């Protein structure tokens, strides 16, 4: 599995370096690797002007086996500042995130480990600071990767920090403010 992920990352890096690209007005992306863990997510981004965009994302997850059930959702709203042009290149973002999670039984899996601190409380919300890189190719294929630091408040008032990483692919459309970004 690790070798397969390495090969995929190398292929995407080559694709990023060799393909012509553009900026987009709109894009929809998802994380294909998260489907392996039972997470369905969707991310919509809309360019507001040359350097700013707004992003709405949500995910829903459910893991069920013979003696363990875990389910939950996340919703986030963020603004992104692109250093070159909206939906093209590196960006920094600030956003609001809400997480709702519940479990029954006992078990151990990737999602339960990720949300271990929230699991006992059920809900958390707070702010996130993100850094990432997005590229939209002439074909509309969209690639985005990044990391965020999330400062969350649990239902009982405790505070935690939670890092999140992402790798998403999708489709972007609508030529943005300039088209000669090659």
């Amino acid at each position: 599995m690790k070798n397969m992920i390495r090969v995929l990352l190398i292929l995407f890096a080559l694709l990023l370096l060799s393909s012509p690209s553009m900026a987009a007005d709109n894009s929809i992306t998802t994380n294909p690797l998260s489907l392996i863990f039972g997470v369905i997510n969707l991310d919509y981004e809309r360019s507001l002007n040359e350097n700013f965009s707004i992003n709405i994302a949500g995910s829903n997850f459910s893991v069920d086996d013979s003696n363990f059930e875990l389910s939950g959702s996340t919703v986030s709203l963020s603004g992104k500042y692109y250093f070159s042009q909206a939906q093209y290149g590196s960006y920094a973002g600030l956003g609001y995130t809400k997480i709702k999670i519940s479990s029954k039984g006992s078990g151990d899996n990737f999602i339960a480990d990720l949300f271990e601190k929230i699991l006992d409380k059920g809900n958390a919300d707070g702010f996130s600071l993100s850094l990432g890189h997005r590229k939209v190719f002439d074909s509309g294929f969209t690639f985005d990767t990044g990391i965020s630091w999330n400062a969350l408040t649990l239902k009982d008032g405790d505070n935690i920090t939670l890092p999140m990483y992402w790798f998403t692919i999708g489709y972007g459309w609508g030529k943005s403010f300039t088209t000669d970004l090659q």
Side-chain angles (χ1 to χ4, degrees):
M1 181 72 170
K2 285 183 182 181
N3 287 335
M4 184 175 84
I5 291 173
R6 285 183 189 149
V7 169
L8 287 174
L9 290 175
I10 290 169
L11 288 173
F12 278 118
L14 291 172
L15 184 66
L16 285 174
L17 295 172
S18 64
S19 298
S21 61
M22 64 177 195
D25 289 327
N26 301 283
S27 61
I28 293 177
T29 58
T30 189
N31 183 340
L33 298 176
S34 66
L35 295 173
I36 296 169
F37 301 107
V39 177
I40 299 169
N41 61 37
L42 195 59
D43 180 286
Y44 171 74
E45 187 164 337
R46 169 85 179 148
S47 299
L48 299 177
N49 62 30
E50 271 192 41
N51 294 97
F52 289 96
S53 70
I54 191 165
N55 183 268
I56 299 168
S59 65
N60 190 21
F61 48 91
S62 179
V63 177
D64 203 0
D65 65 24
S66 59
N67 49 344
F68 181 68
E69 182 181 321
L70 175 75
S71 61
S73 62
T74 64
V75 176
S76 66
L77 174 65
S78 63
K80 293 180 180 178
Y81 174 80
Y82 282 84
F83 299 108
S84 58
Q85 184 178 30
Q87 297 203 49
Y88 178 82
S90 298
Y91 61 84
L94 181 63
Y96 170 78
T97 301
K98 182 160 186 67
I99 300 172
K100 192 173 191 177
I101 192 167
S102 65
S103 68
K104 294 178 186 172
S106 62
D108 188 31
N109 67 53
F110 173 77
I111 295 174
D113 291 345
L114 181 64
F115 294 115
E116 177 183 6
K117 294 176 182 176
I118 301 171
L119 202 50
D120 295 334
K121 311 298 183 201
N123 296 332
D125 67 329
F127 293 92
S128 63
L129 185 60
S130 61
L131 296 172
H133 187 83
R134 177 174 287 238
K135 190 166 184 180
V136 180
F137 298 94
D138 282 342
S139 65
F141 177 76
T142 302
F143 172 83
D144 189 302
T145 187
I147 182 171
S148 68
W149 176 79
N150 300 272
L152 304 170
T153 302
L154 301 173
K155 189 165 71 172
D156 66 0
D158 287 345
N159 294 314
I160 63 167
T161 58
L162 179 68
M164 289 190 176
Y165 312 92
W166 63 89
F167 160 77
T168 63
I169 60 173
Y171 182 74
W173 67 93
K175 297 273 184 183
S176 197
F177 304 99
T178 62
T179 58
D180 52 334
L181 295 173
Q182 295 186 42

